[in-house]
Amino acid sequence: MAADNRQAAQQALAPLRQQIDSLDSQLVALLAERAKVTAQVGQIKQQFALPVYVPEREQALLSARREQAAALGVSADLTEDVLRRIMRESYATQESHFVCCREGGGKVVVVGGAGALGSRFVSLFQRSGYQVQILEQTDWPEAAQLCAEAVLVLLAVPITQTAELIAKLPRLADDCVLADITSIKAQPLAAMLQQHAGPVVGLHPMFGPDISNLVKQVVVVCHGRSQQQYDWLLQQLTVWGAELAVKQAAEHDSAMQLIQAMRHFSSLVYGVHLADEQADLQQLLQLSSPIYRLELAMVGRLFAQNAELYADIMLSSSDVSSLLQRYQQRFSELLQLLQQQDKAGLMAQFAKGQQFFGELAGQFLQESKQLLQKAADGRS
Amino acid sequence: MAADNRQAAQQALAPLRQQIDSLDSQLVALLAERAKVTAQVGQIKQQFALPVYVPEREQALLSARREQAAALGVSADLTEDVLRRIMRESYATQESHFVCCREGGGKVVVVGGAGALGSRFVSLFQRSGYQVQILEQTDWPEAAQLCAEAVLVLLAVPITQTAELIAKLPRLADDCVLADITSIKAQPLAAMLQQHAGPVVGLHPMFGPDISNLVKQVVVVCHGRSQQQYDWLLQQLTVWGAELAVKQAAEHDSAMQLIQAMRHFSSLVYGVHLADEQADLQQLLQLSSPIYRLELAMVGRLFAQNAELYADIMLSSSDVSSLLQRYQQRFSELLQLLQQQDKAGLMAQFAKGQQFFGELAGQFLQESKQLLQKAADGRS
């Protein structure tokens, strides 16, 4: 393009870009004002013990704005995406303190409270007005004293140590709640019921220590004994924003093998395979469209996390290896189809998966597309 | 909470919620104004043949707003996320028409132009001022006439038919560009060079027909012959927003086996495995935190797509099955470690993956966290 031509283009664009900058500046000012108001909302919610996240209010707010957007010829989806991102921020800023769901608070002991996930719960209990004590390896000589008059003893320790440490616990007050957040539930729950005659509940927070808040995160609840005596704890989780899912321990554990152990193991093998193939990561990235970059990220992210934790989850039950045995069997069957160039056979297997996922496949495709659009926003 | 108490809370919240609604209403009005201005920007860019996406301008705009946000005590990341989402929308609205990068346009023949991806390119060429002809199976008797005086013949057909259809092509004008968008490159490129004495280039768009636009999408370019004669085509791709990555065909193909075939095959096996295990999908979803829902979505999305296309990609090269053979070997080695309860052995393999991904693992973890936050925005 000729120089004078380029200059003409810049002259035509300059005033429009100034308009955009001024509109964006007004936008940022709006965000600032809104943050002030939502901070006040947060204070009132604390004062009246209301949850930070109120689905009905969120829905009403969004649909009103979608209508307005449509009326003004703006994309309703754009409007909703922008508002959801803004609301996420306000949830985060609203949770500096939480209402305490137990009359008078009380002492909470977090075994393993110095760990990554344990410390998240320590902070949450502290910000909710409880007196929190941490019980780490070196503190066991004082365990009896630490746990005296505790209203809750929460185990946040590696799977491999859970049973042993439950057995090491001192005698707890009859009304003290004993709970754990181990990612398997049957064994720890049985161990807690044996150790303590009072209220017992098994919890599995379905998230890692890396989340910014508990809003919309799932916590599985496996009832143990005397539920009415730990209702305050479940209510507290809800106030933090969590969604509770009540399950039988055994039911939970077998589902977890499919959800977690399978996933971790296949990602582990996938990463090791890339390493052994001496793949050129930079080239893979350069050649990866957003979807493949995300696929690779879902594998690679595993290796930024706690190897021992994942090994423990995989080793936690012999069912896992028999499950993986069957996976390997299916892998080799499909590989044979491939080696025999059996296209029809491969497509029949594909059809099986299509039938299994049903409408959800299309829904997942939609979800991942929307995510990729957002991932694309972030690239530059 | 007592009824009067609840009433008091609602009374305290009502005026604040009205303020929020009014601020959000102003926000939507801003979005409408901004859309008007960016539409004018789009027209000027077409007039002067400027690309829709200008990284430098985007960066300048974002950093100015981040500074303002920080000054006002608003999260800079929130501000950037919101602006990126808005800009994505404006890219999409700016591409109703594109500048034509070839003097006088000319006739473009898209073989397979009725297909999903082919029709995307038909539309892009049409919106860029080219005269587009589609050549489908029934049109081959008229192929010579259709291709006469074409400036570009683009093959957008299934891998399995590419070689055969290249050979079926009529004699093309000496200056006609022959190109393909097959997801393997070595064989089609060789076939095209043999078939046509004029300019030849192999392309691989690293995306499916489902994307909303080409902005920031990668297109691999494998040079064939007489590059200067198809520079206009590469420039056209850039105007559409694509990022070009020049590769040797063989280099591209081996990378694709790792990026695509491996991924498709393991997702296929994973889905078939879940089906054969008769997993309870609804329960898996209920128990899945955002990260595991995303893992499941990345598998499930495969089954909403074209089974034959994926089968063809997997079957396209015998190297794929030997690659998968080695994958299976590693899978069984790691499974043995698991069956032997060899925790140290598993962790050593984990360490191998850690070393391979290096700093990228942490970066991927960050990326996926941010994506999950956005996914959480979308849940309700």
Side-chain angles (χ1 to χ4, degrees):
Chain A
M1 180 161 54
D4 56 349
N5 211 348
R6 196 177 295 110
Q7 197 179 11
Q10 293 312 319
Q11 278 171 1
L13 285 174
L16 296 172
R17 286 181 164 163
Q18 279 167 19
Q19 285 183 52
I20 291 173
D21 290 341
S22 119
L23 289 168
D24 290 347
S25 164
Q26 294 172 49
L27 176 81
V28 177
L30 267 182
L31 293 179
E33 269 194 77
R34 197 185 195 281
K36 287 200 193 75
V37 182
T38 51
Q40 296 175 47
V41 170
Q43 286 162 8
I44 291 170
K45 284 181 176 175
Q46 285 164 34
Q47 181 186 336
F48 289 97
L50 298 171
V52 168
Y53 169 57
V54 186
E56 304 71 24
R57 161 66 179 162
E58 187 175 287
Q59 271 313 312
L61 184 154
L62 288 172
S63 46
R65 288 316 129 213
R66 287 186 66 99
E67 280 180 27
Q68 182 194 1
L72 293 177
V74 183
S75 157
D77 290 341
L78 166 66
T79 305
E80 175 164 348
D81 286 350
V82 166
L83 285 170
R84 283 192 184 278
R85 177 63 183 88
I86 294 170
M87 286 187 287
R88 188 221 308 168
E89 200 76 12
S90 76
Y91 292 141
T93 54
Q94 279 177 36
E95 62 162 21
S96 58
H97 288 82
F98 298 97
V99 61
C100 181
C101 296
R102 187 178 181 283
E103 195 81 40
K107 187 208 280 184
V108 170
V109 178
V110 180
V111 183
L117 190 54
S119 57
R120 292 300 304 269
F121 280 93
V122 167
S123 160
L124 286 164
F125 279 112
Q126 283 171 336
R127 285 184 285 154
S128 310
Y130 296 86
Q131 175 209 344
V132 183
Q133 300 273 5
I134 294 175
L135 200 166
E136 282 292 340
Q137 285 154 351
T138 56
D139 307 319
W140 281 97
E142 298 80 44
Q145 179 195 336
L146 280 167
C147 297
E149 285 151 28
V151 298
L152 167 65
V153 172
L154 180 71
L155 286 112
V157 295
I159 295 179
T160 47
Q161 300 169 29
T162 307
E164 166 200 349
L165 294 181
I166 289 171
K168 265 175 81 173
L169 284 172
R171 190 175 198 298
L172 306 174
D174 297 347
D175 63 347
C176 175
V177 179
L178 180 58
D180 80 309
I181 56 169
T182 315
S183 40
I184 54 169
K185 294 265 64 68
Q187 295 157 340
L189 190 58
M192 290 191 296
L193 286 166
Q194 189 181 17
Q195 173 70 19
H196 178 49
V200 168
V201 60
L203 303 171
H204 181 194
M206 301 296 297
F207 48 83
D210 50 2
I211 56 158
S212 64
N213 64 61
L214 263 61
V215 172
K216 301 178 185 176
Q217 296 287 347
V218 175
V219 175
V220 175
V221 177
C222 298
H223 289 305
R225 182 194 296 131
S226 311
Q227 181 184 348
Q228 69 287 353
Q229 287 188 67
Y230 57 77
D231 269 336
W232 64 269
L233 177 57
L234 303 186
Q235 199 192 336
Q236 193 70 63
L237 288 163
T238 316
V239 165
W240 292 336
E243 293 172 359
L244 305 182
V246 176
K247 291 286 161 194
Q248 297 294 326
E251 180 186 22
H252 163 275
D253 290 353
S254 62
M256 278 310 111
Q257 289 163 11
L258 281 172
I259 296 172
Q260 292 191 316
M262 270 289 301
R263 197 69 232 173
H264 296 158
F265 187 81
S266 51
S267 291
L268 174 61
V269 175
Y270 205 100
V272 167
H273 179 57
L274 288 176
D276 288 349
E277 292 290 319
Q278 297 173 314
D280 178 344
L281 255 181
Q282 288 314 314
Q283 185 178 61
L284 292 191
L285 285 176
Q286 193 198 2
L287 292 179
S288 288
S289 54
I291 181 66
Y292 292 106
R293 184 185 173 88
L294 180 55
E295 299 266 24
L296 192 60
M298 295 301 281
V299 171
R301 74 189 299 281
L302 177 77
F303 298 95
Q305 297 176 79
N306 186 330
E308 182 159 22
L309 172 65
Y310 287 130
D312 287 340
I313 294 177
M314 293 181 217
L315 293 165
S316 62
S317 154
S318 61
D319 302 350
V320 172
S321 61
S322 49
L323 176 69
L324 290 168
Q325 187 73 60
R326 297 194 293 278
Y327 179 91
Q328 184 181 23
Q329 182 53 37
R330 282 152 192 153
F331 188 101
S332 73
E333 284 163 16
L334 268 68
L335 182 53
Q336 277 176 32
L337 295 176
L338 192 66
Q339 287 162 338
Q340 295 155 1
Q341 295 280 309
D342 182 350
K343 183 172 171 178
L346 283 171
M347 287 175 68
Q349 293 296 316
F350 198 97
K352 191 197 286 181
Q354 278 174 324
Q355 192 179 11
F356 173 73
F357 281 99
E359 293 177 353
L360 204 55
Q363 192 181 319
F364 279 152
L365 186 61
Q366 275 312 110
E367 281 181 28
S368 55
K369 275 184 215 167
Q370 287 158 8
L371 267 183
L372 292 175
Q373 285 292 4
K374 288 168 174 162
D377 296 347
R379 289 181 64 201
S380 59
Chain B
M1 181 162 53
D4 56 349
N5 210 348
R6 195 176 297 112
Q7 198 180 6
Q10 293 312 320
Q11 277 170 4
L13 286 174
L16 295 172
R17 287 180 164 165
Q18 280 168 18
Q19 286 182 54
I20 291 174
D21 291 340
S22 119
L23 288 169
D24 290 347
S25 166
Q26 295 171 49
L27 176 81
V28 177
L30 267 183
L31 293 179
E33 269 193 77
R34 197 185 194 281
K36 287 202 192 75
V37 181
T38 50
Q40 298 174 47
V41 170
Q43 287 163 7
I44 292 171
K45 285 180 176 175
Q46 288 164 31
Q47 183 187 336
F48 289 96
L50 297 172
V52 168
Y53 170 58
V54 186
E56 304 71 24
R57 161 66 180 163
E58 186 175 288
Q59 271 314 311
L61 185 154
L62 287 172
S63 45
R65 289 314 129 214
R66 286 186 67 99
E67 279 179 26
Q68 181 194 4
L72 293 177
V74 183
S75 158
D77 290 341
L78 166 65
T79 305
E80 176 164 349
D81 287 350
V82 167
L83 285 171
R84 283 192 184 279
R85 177 64 184 88
I86 294 170
M87 287 187 287
R88 188 219 311 166
E89 199 76 13
S90 76
Y91 292 141
T93 55
Q94 281 177 33
E95 60 162 25
S96 57
H97 288 81
F98 297 96
V99 61
C100 181
C101 295
R102 188 178 181 283
E103 196 82 39
K107 187 208 281 186
V108 170
V109 177
V110 180
V111 183
L117 192 52
S119 57
R120 289 301 302 269
F121 280 92
V122 168
S123 160
L124 286 164
F125 279 111
Q126 282 171 337
R127 285 183 284 154
S128 309
Y130 296 87
Q131 174 208 348
V132 182
Q133 299 273 7
I134 294 176
L135 199 166
E136 282 293 340
Q137 284 153 352
T138 56
D139 307 320
W140 281 97
E142 297 79 46
Q145 177 195 339
L146 279 168
C147 297
E149 286 153 27
V151 299
L152 168 66
V153 172
L154 179 71
L155 286 111
V157 296
I159 295 179
T160 46
Q161 301 169 28
T162 306
E164 167 199 349
L165 293 182
I166 289 172
K168 267 174 79 174
L169 284 173
R171 191 176 196 297
L172 306 174
D174 297 348
D175 62 348
C176 175
V177 178
L178 180 58
D180 79 310
I181 56 169
T182 316
S183 41
I184 57 170
K185 294 263 65 68
Q187 294 158 344
L189 190 59
M192 291 192 295
L193 285 167
Q194 188 180 17
Q195 172 70 21
H196 178 49
V200 168
V201 60
L203 303 172
H204 182 195
M206 301 298 298
F207 49 82
D210 50 0
I211 57 157
S212 62
N213 64 63
L214 263 61
V215 171
K216 299 177 185 176
Q217 296 288 346
V218 176
V219 175
V220 176
V221 176
C222 299
H223 289 306
R225 182 192 297 128
S226 311
Q227 180 184 350
Q228 70 287 353
Q229 288 189 66
Y230 58 76
D231 269 337
W232 64 269
L233 176 57
L234 303 186
Q235 198 191 339
Q236 193 69 64
L237 288 163
T238 315
V239 164
W240 293 336
E243 293 172 359
L244 305 183
V246 176
K247 291 287 159 192
Q248 296 295 327
E251 181 186 24
H252 162 276
D253 289 355
S254 61
M256 278 311 112
Q257 289 162 12
L258 280 172
I259 295 172
Q260 291 192 316
M262 271 289 299
R263 198 70 231 174
H264 295 158
F265 188 81
S266 50
S267 291
L268 174 61
V269 175
Y270 204 100
V272 167
H273 179 58
L274 288 176
D276 289 349
E277 292 289 318
Q278 298 172 315
D280 177 345
L281 254 181
Q282 288 315 314
Q283 186 179 60
L284 291 190
L285 286 175
Q286 192 198 1
L287 292 179
S288 288
S289 55
I291 180 67
Y292 292 107
R293 184 186 173 88
L294 180 55
E295 299 265 24
L296 192 60
M298 296 301 282
V299 172
R301 74 189 298 282
L302 177 77
F303 297 96
Q305 298 177 77
N306 186 329
E308 183 159 23
L309 171 65
Y310 286 131
D312 286 339
I313 294 178
M314 294 181 214
L315 292 165
S316 62
S317 154
S318 60
D319 301 352
V320 172
S321 62
S322 49
L323 176 69
L324 289 168
Q325 187 74 59
R326 297 193 293 277
Y327 179 90
Q328 184 181 24
Q329 182 53 38
R330 282 152 191 151
F331 189 101
S332 75
E333 284 164 15
L334 268 68
L335 183 52
Q336 275 176 31
L337 294 177
L338 193 66
Q339 286 161 338
Q340 295 155 2
Q341 295 279 307
D342 183 349
K343 182 172 170 178
L346 282 170
M347 287 174 68
Q349 293 296 316
F350 197 98
K352 191 196 285 181
Q354 277 174 325
Q355 193 179 10
F356 173 72
F357 281 100
E359 292 178 353
L360 204 54
Q363 192 181 319
F364 279 153
L365 186 60
Q366 276 312 110
E367 282 181 27
S368 56
K369 276 183 215 170
Q370 287 158 7
L371 267 183
L372 292 175
Q373 285 293 3
K374 287 165 175 164
D377 296 347
R379 290 180 63 202
S380 57

